[in-house]
Amino acid sequence: MTGPETALDALDGLLERAAELIARARRLVVFTGAGVSTESGIPDFRSPSGIWARYDPLELSYQNFIASEEGRRKYWQLGRELYATVRGARPNPAHLAIAELERLGFLQCVITQNIDNLHQKAGTSPERVIELHGNATRARCLACGEPYTRDEIQARLEAGEEVPACRCGGIIKPHTILFGEAMPLLETLEAERRARAADCFLVVGSSLVVYPAAYMPLYAKEAGARLIIVNLTSTPLDEHADVRIPGKAGEVMAGLLARVRARLVR
Ligand code: APR
């Protein structure tokens, strides 16, 4: 029978093992998903209260966005709701802990599936953040390339424009990757290179069910890296993890950093 004290002892043991792997790492790569941002108020996708419980991902595909005005109207309806949350979101203790790993000299890079810019807001160097699914703060015209900030598009949406179009008449699209859209080539290649060079690979807040992003932990394992998975629920890659820590990213990451810091003063 697991009482509260034995559950805490078990968590403590997991945090100690993970902290030991991180403290010994020379090439630590962190990989994040939407679960690292839910404590900042941004919904994830596959939890019961996630975005895909309210919207059909197939309706929001790249093909639908390009093919019709109706497809773009549906996209911007979600985009307007989500961006209002993203714009006001603040980094939470998990983002701050990852930024501290860089300050302590451990972090090679953060490979993120998130588009919320919170790693950068938390202080992680932008050049160390690889955004596999783009970034929600920028947009552009697909016809003439005219750049737009997401804030100016948001203002147009909030003023009642349902499908913002470019001055040239072209389609305006955010710098985020939709289902069916090609992945950003340079970011994907760089993420794979970094994963294959890692000696410790830390996953925080991802269901690890979307490919090719979810290949990254496997590339690291293939290359001999230690794999740590921090997630509220189980993932298909848990069996490959050297340490799996179930729990909330903010609490777990704060506990992890406290133990890594303690090792540095020994
Ligand atoms: N702490 C730890 N884990 C959490 C927390 C939290 N506070 N909140 C949620 N989680 C976990 C959930 O249990 C879930 O397993 O984070 C995971 C989030 O999984 P998804 O919602 O599938 O998000 P993600 O893995 O980033 O999805 C990948 O799918 O829809 C596409 O492009 C979208 O980038 C996204 C991709």
Side-chain angles (χ1 to χ4, degrees), residues 111-122:
I111 302 169
T112 188
Q113 302 169 94
N114 300 341
I115 59 174
D116 55 34
N117 215 46
L118 284 179
H119 288 302
Q120 295 91 328
K121 277 186 185 172

Side-chain angles (χ1 to χ4, degrees), residues 217-232:
L218 294 174
Y219 293 147
K221 272 308 272 186
E222 274 173 15
R226 295 308 190 100
L227 176 60
I228 303 165
I229 297 179
V230 175
N231 204 56
L232 208 51

Side-chain angles (χ1 to χ4, degrees), residues 40 83-90 121:
S40 296
Y83 185 70
T85 305
V86 165
R87 179 171 50 189
R90 306 298 309 145
K121 277 186 185 172

